[in-house]
Amino acid sequence: MPFKRYVEIGRVALVNYGKDYGKLVVIVDVVDQNRALVDAPDMVRSQMNFKRLTLTDIKIDINRVPKKKTLIDAMEKADVKNKWENSSWGRKLIVQKRRALLNDFGRFKLMLAKIKKAGIVRQELAKLKKETAA
Amino acid sequence: MAAKRKTPIKTRNPDLIRGVGKYSRSKMYHKRGLWAIKAKNGGVFPRHDPQPKAPSAAEKPPKFYPADDVKKPLLNKRKPKPTKLRASITPGTVLILLAGRFMGKRVVFLKQLTSGLLLVTGPFKINGVPLRRVNQSYVIATSTKIDISGVNADKFDDKYFTKEGVKKKKKNEGEFFEAEKEDKKKLPEDKKEDQKVVDASLLKSIEGVPDLKAYLAARFSLKSGMKPHELVF
């Protein structure tokens, strides 16, 4: 199975360790075998070990180490934010964040909703089973 | 004792740093006006003879000397402060009880009593918890609040909840077996009425919120994967 996501200039990655945990950053340069220069619209450009990054499918079109303004414009052009929020990975993260902030009443209502949904699914399944059996 | 001044006196000699005043001894002499007092009194500082003391009653020798020297305990003037109520607990908050017969029940907070305990009610019809006192330490406060404006909890205080004095019964052998069958104490009717009155207005506000009634009826428990230090209540 060949690799599909490469470390390259313009690759969008998710930070998975450290102070900037959970942020989307763009690789703007490679320092050496282990580290990349990384930049995002709301942070100071800094180096990060590749082990702290998880590559995503999203790539933007930039030159090596662009100015901040150029970077922001390129991200807008590639529509990184919407692509991320609509991807299944991005949507899962958003749901995780929302669930972490639920209070006790919220968790209770979530449980009721899950039970209701499962009941409806089971009903439809039973109907389908009856049709194929008949 | 001289008469007290209306405002406490401020020193005329401010500190430059701790231990070092701004003015020297001679300057302070002048500032305090000791020269004026002396001038009024003809060059000498006025001196008053000691006031005659009122005659004190003659002390009689004590009638009784105790055999051993017993130390008197030190005087304790400490006044305990009223228990501080956590900021997250306000009237109408839903609390989760953590210990006791109603462990895990979600319950509505009414007010804090003078003893520091929290007055709490189920409501009784929803989860079987009556008007009850509960300690703040055995409670988790959730962020869910209920409108409690229709409830009048003024008549409930610590005296309402104390047990009546149990009469001691003498037991001899024959009565021992009969005494075991003591009938259970019945709850007086007026306490049941109080419960109904308090719960009536609460039930109306509870039914206004969808799912709240089922929420209060259910017990809280930790499920697999729930980390209490990460949960938001």
Side-chain angles (χ1 to χ4, degrees):
Chain A
M1 335 150 291
F3 288 100
K4 290 221 193 73
R5 300 175 187 162
Y6 295 96
V7 168
E8 46 198 334
I9 297 182
R11 176 65 61 186
V12 173
L14 187 69
V15 179
N16 59 25
Y17 182 92
K19 192 169 63 98
D20 301 309
Y21 180 87
K23 268 198 184 163
L24 275 184
V25 293
V26 179
I27 297 178
V28 297
D29 199 0
V30 171
V31 175
D32 61 14
Q33 194 196 333
N34 296 319
R35 288 177 296 159
L37 194 60
V38 128
D39 203 355
D42 58 345
M43 76 183 240
V44 176
R45 199 191 302 150
S46 58
Q47 61 90 15
M48 245 189 216
N49 194 315
F50 286 120
K51 293 190 175 178
R52 291 198 176 194
L53 299 172
T54 321
L55 303 178
T56 67
D57 285 332
I58 309 173
K59 183 175 172 327
I60 65 178
D61 191 14
I62 49 172
N63 290 324
R64 193 178 68 91
V65 194
K67 293 209 191 309
K68 200 68 159 216
K69 198 150 111 18
T70 324
L71 177 68
I72 295 178
D73 289 336
M75 286 182 90
E76 293 281 311
K77 190 151 156 270
D79 206 12
V80 169
K81 190 159 184 282
N82 283 333
K83 273 204 208 140
W84 178 245
E85 283 172 8
N86 295 331
S87 71
S88 62
W89 183 0
R91 276 184 286 139
K92 270 189 267 178
L93 283 189
I94 290 176
V95 168
Q96 269 177 24
K97 282 200 191 111
R98 210 184 298 158
R99 287 211 179 158
L101 296 175
L102 277 181
N103 69 3
D104 193 42
F105 190 24
R107 268 173 266 134
F108 181 78
K109 286 192 274 193
L110 179 69
M111 176 192 69
L112 292 183
K114 275 193 186 169
I115 293 175
K116 200 165 179 196
K117 174 175 154 220
I120 295 173
V121 166
R122 216 175 296 139
Q123 266 188 335
E124 291 295 315
L125 183 63
K127 265 194 243 165
L128 288 174
K129 275 199 193 157
K130 216 156 68 150
E131 279 174 24
T132 55
Chain B
M1 279 265 280
K4 275 196 116 156
R5 293 167 64 93
K6 287 213 187 70
T7 53
I9 185 160
K10 299 188 307 191
T11 51
R12 296 181 219 268
N13 192 359
D15 273 352
L16 292 176
I17 348 166
R18 188 178 72 134
V20 178
K22 186 170 172 192
Y23 299 108
S24 65
R25 288 183 84 93
S26 46
K27 278 260 182 311
M28 279 314 294
Y29 175 88
H30 179 76
K31 268 171 108 66
R32 285 169 67 194
L34 299 178
W35 52 273
I37 297 176
K38 276 194 183 174
K40 253 202 192 163
N41 203 32
V44 178
F45 202 77
R47 190 170 170 276
H48 300 285
D49 292 315
Q51 286 165 343
K53 279 201 325 209
S56 54
E59 270 195 38
K60 293 195 305 195
K63 278 192 281 193
F64 172 71
Y65 290 97
D68 307 311
D69 275 326
V70 178
K71 281 208 172 110
K72 231 173 48 169
L74 289 172
L75 201 59
N76 182 7
K77 289 218 193 107
R78 177 175 173 262
K79 280 200 193 48
K81 287 203 266 216
T83 315
K84 190 161 170 213
L85 193 60
R86 263 182 275 162
S88 52
I89 303 181
T90 62
T93 314
V94 173
L95 308 173
I96 300 177
L97 301 180
L98 294 175
R101 188 167 164 216
F102 300 106
M103 183 160 39
K105 291 263 191 205
R106 298 166 170 122
V107 124
V108 180
F109 169 67
L110 297 177
K111 73 173 188 181
Q112 183 182 32
L113 303 168
T114 45
S115 65
L117 299 172
L118 311 179
L119 176 64
V120 127
T121 179
F124 187 72
K125 259 196 179 294
I126 298 185
N127 54 20
V129 179
L131 280 161
R132 200 167 202 267
R133 293 185 296 175
V134 125
N135 189 317
Q136 220 191 135
S137 308
Y138 299 97
V139 136
I140 294 181
T142 65
S143 46
T144 317
K145 314 260 183 223
I146 299 180
D147 179 23
I148 203 181
S149 46
V151 172
N152 186 349
D154 291 339
K155 66 180 281 203
F156 304 114
D157 58 350
D158 289 297
K159 273 217 317 253
Y160 180 91
F161 291 102
T162 51
K163 291 203 195 74
E164 277 108 42
V166 183
K167 292 188 288 273
K168 279 201 166 166
K169 289 206 238 173
K170 271 207 179 158
K171 286 195 191 137
N172 42 22
E173 279 195 34
E175 290 180 1
F176 194 69
F177 298 98
E178 291 177 22
E180 288 202 21
K181 289 191 289 161
E182 286 173 22
D183 48 354
K184 280 161 66 155
K185 301 235 178 63
K186 293 237 165 44
L187 197 59
E189 279 303 316
D190 55 343
K191 290 215 174 169
K192 292 193 192 169
E193 275 308 309
D194 291 335
Q195 180 78 53
K196 285 203 195 121
V197 166
V198 168
D199 287 354
S201 46
L202 267 181
L203 275 165
K204 260 196 282 188
S205 10
I206 289 173
E207 272 158 22
V209 182
D211 293 332
L212 190 56
K213 195 159 174 216
Y215 174 62
L216 290 175
R219 280 208 205 222
F220 171 82
S221 68
L222 276 181
K223 311 277 194 320
S224 180
M226 285 172 116
K227 298 174 196 161
H229 68 292
E230 283 180 7
L231 287 180
V232 169
F233 281 102

